[in-house]
Amino acid sequence: MLETEFVRSLQSNYERIHLSEKPDEQRYQYCILTRGGIRGLLPCSLRYINGEAYLYYDITSRQNVAQLYGKGIIDRAWVREFFWSYKQVRQEMGRFLLDEENILIYPEQIFQDLSSRKFFFLYLPYYEEGNGLLQFLEFVLGHMNYEDEGLVECVYSMYEQYEKAGTAYLQEKIFEDAERLEEKEKMTGREDLSETVLQSQGEDISSGWMSTGTPDVQQNVSRQEKKGIFWHLGGKKRKAEEQREAYRENRLAAMEGQAVAEESAYEDEECGKTIYVEQTEEGSTLHRLYTPDGRVATPLEKDSVTIGKQKGEVDLLLEDESVSRLHARIYVEDHIVYLEDLNSTNGTFKNGLRLQPYEKRRLEEDDEVRFGKLLFVYR
């Protein structure tokens, strides 16, 4: 089992993995990995602390997929782009004679740069406990856009086939299926994908959305009759639909009653002006973030409030050079309010103490909270 944690060193943030045994630094995979320069991989270094060995992966200015889409919706364009990136990095591994199966595909170990949208992967030499692709597909199933039937059918099929065939399906076929996810208006029907899979495997697949018989028969198979993944992941669609509706309601709520603050000297086309939400209701028991001069920055009306300067992706928009695109969030868990850093560049602070990347701390009345250079009070 992976022993991971997020730490900060100098001006960079890292995910570090504890190695149970002292590695042989002269072994090929360690030599190539720590040398750096491999496209698509997180930069990595081997360090020793108190006699224990750790691999440090530089995650500065990047967010992991589990955090980015934990409450969001994954669409077909994102799925296609991910598998294209995954294919490219596997090809890079082939160029350097590295084992492609040591690329970790757990949602927590896949990172995306918010400015370039590029994916970065974590490579763990000589790891033999699975690459996490099945867990990644489960994550996509729980967060994808269920209004896109073509996407739903494809991802369910990917899960079933990888569960059955494993590495054999991963080698090439899964990437061909992903490439067939074109824009909805260009889709010609689900028959194309199912026929390609049947031809490539030379056998009928009786579970999932691909069943024996003609395309017409396949389309008429009811979801109640499907087996395989539906037994493993029953309720995923309902959960995703609920998340999608909650996501929409949260976005609409965040847009109501907002007033634009004074213009700042910092300009960025992608990041709008800082928004303050004035609370006029008297007698409310809601907690809020206040500016040092007593203004309400935002009421904490939702179970999760994201703070940053990525316009359209955050609930409290802060236009300041010291604030990251996705900087931090305040959320409720088991009736307790927490402050969590989202791998910010300039840090999230509670009462002057800096949080480690992705660290969470409980918020109490009158705590001072700082995002980069901007100070607020939680009341």
Side-chain angles (χ1 to χ4, degrees):
M1 182 176 179
L2 291 175
E3 295 182 39
T4 68
E5 60 181 331
F6 297 99
V7 297
R8 179 174 175 80
S9 176
L10 297 178
Q11 300 301 315
S12 299
N13 296 338
Y14 298 91
E15 178 176 357
R16 74 178 183 185
I17 295 182
H18 177 250
L19 302 178
S20 57
E21 298 180 357
K22 184 177 180 180
D24 181 356
E25 298 182 38
Q26 302 304 313
R27 294 187 73 180
Y28 179 76
Q29 291 191 29
Y30 284 111
C31 291
I32 296 298
L33 178 63
T34 56
R35 186 186 68 178
I38 302 179
R39 289 183 301 174
L41 290 188
L42 291 168
C44 179
S45 59
L46 178 61
R47 304 184 187 182
Y48 296 91
I49 302 175
N50 297 327
E52 298 292 325
Y54 298 86
L55 283 172
Y56 276 65
Y57 298 87
D58 190 343
I59 60 172
T60 307
S61 300
R62 304 179 179 103
Q63 292 286 342
N64 67 51
V65 166
Q67 181 64 54
L68 277 174
Y69 297 96
K71 293 185 179 297
I73 303 297
I74 293 175
D75 59 21
R76 68 167 56 214
W78 189 93
V79 173
R80 290 188 65 199
E81 182 63 25
F82 169 80
F83 278 103
W84 183 88
S85 299
Y86 183 31
K87 181 179 180 179
Q88 297 303 308
V89 77
R90 285 177 63 91
Q91 291 175 348
E92 281 289 290
M93 297 302 97
R95 289 182 58 233
F96 288 94
L97 303 179
L98 296 172
D99 188 350
E100 297 96 333
E101 295 308 305
N102 289 337
I103 304 170
L104 300 189
I105 314 298
Y106 296 97
E108 296 80 8
Q109 269 72 55
I110 305 167
F111 288 80
Q112 195 169 14
D113 186 295
L114 295 181
S115 58
S116 66
R117 313 304 298 178
K118 291 182 179 178
F119 291 93
F120 291 87
F121 298 87
L122 186 153
Y123 186 89
L124 184 57
Y126 309 106
Y127 187 65
E128 298 179 352
E129 297 184 22
N131 62 9
L133 183 55
L134 205 61
Q135 290 84 344
F136 170 78
L137 291 173
E138 287 181 0
F139 179 84
V140 175
L141 284 167
H143 297 85
M144 64 183 172
N145 178 13
Y146 273 86
E147 293 179 352
D148 186 342
E149 294 185 2
L151 174 63
V152 173
E153 305 289 12
C154 182
V155 178
Y156 270 104
S157 170
M158 286 178 172
Y159 185 97
E160 286 189 318
Q161 293 181 83
Y162 183 69
E163 189 178 39
K164 292 178 180 179
T167 304
Y169 175 59
L170 174 60
Q171 293 299 331
E172 288 295 340
K173 193 65 192 65
I174 194 170
F175 301 110
E176 293 180 10
D177 288 349
E179 289 172 0
R180 299 182 69 85
L181 280 174
E182 301 175 359
E183 295 302 324
K184 182 176 288 188
E185 62 269 19
K186 296 181 180 179
M187 291 293 287
T188 58
R190 64 184 67 173
E191 299 89 356
D192 295 339
L193 185 58
S194 61
E195 288 176 359
T196 302
V197 174
L198 292 172
Q199 292 171 4
S200 66
Q201 295 191 349
E203 60 182 7
D204 290 333
I205 300 176
S206 58
S207 61
W209 67 275
M210 292 175 295
S211 59
T212 57
T214 65
D216 291 338
V217 173
Q218 294 171 11
Q219 291 183 356
N220 290 328
V221 176
S222 68
R223 290 191 179 275
Q224 288 75 18
E225 294 172 338
K226 297 174 184 177
K227 298 180 180 179
I229 191 172
F230 295 92
W231 290 99
H232 296 287
L233 301 172
K236 283 286 186 180
K237 178 176 181 179
R238 182 175 64 256
K239 177 183 176 182
E241 289 174 341
E242 293 172 354
Q243 290 177 339
R244 182 174 66 249
E245 291 305 317
Y247 179 80
R248 289 173 175 172
E249 291 176 2
N250 289 341
R251 287 299 178 207
L252 290 174
M255 295 174 63
E256 295 178 355
Q258 295 178 342
V260 180
E262 293 182 323
E263 293 188 357
S264 165
Y266 176 67
E267 304 249 346
D268 189 328
E269 292 182 357
E270 295 180 358
C271 308
K273 305 303 179 184
T274 304
I275 292 177
Y276 292 97
V277 182
E278 297 296 341
Q279 175 60 267
T280 58
E281 296 181 5
E282 297 182 359
S284 173
T285 60
L286 287 175
H287 281 87
R288 306 170 179 84
L289 285 184
Y290 290 85
T291 63
D293 60 3
R295 290 185 298 164
V296 176
T298 185
L300 304 176
E301 298 175 318
K302 302 185 297 181
D303 287 341
S304 180
V305 174
T306 305
I307 299 100
K309 65 180 181 185
Q310 182 76 27
K311 189 174 182 180
E313 297 294 333
V314 298
D315 303 298
L316 175 59
L317 185 63
L318 299 176
E319 183 192 43
D320 189 273
E321 289 179 313
S322 67
V323 176
S324 297
R325 288 176 172 83
L326 292 182
H327 195 104
R329 71 172 177 139
I330 296 173
Y331 68 99
V332 179
E333 185 177 275
D334 296 329
H335 307 292
I336 298 174
V337 180
Y338 291 96
L339 171 68
E340 180 184 22
D341 179 77
L342 297 182
N343 192 27
S344 63
T345 299
N346 292 303
T348 302
F349 299 79
K350 177 194 169 185
N351 296 330
L353 298 179
R354 182 168 187 160
L355 280 66
Q356 294 289 346
Y358 297 112
E359 180 184 359
K360 68 176 183 179
R361 292 183 188 170
R362 182 171 181 170
L363 278 180
E364 304 286 357
E365 194 81 13
D366 292 325
D367 277 345
E368 288 188 348
V369 178
R370 181 154 61 88
F371 311 113
K373 297 186 300 183
L374 302 184
L375 182 65
F376 300 89
V377 179
Y378 170 77
R379 290 176 183 154

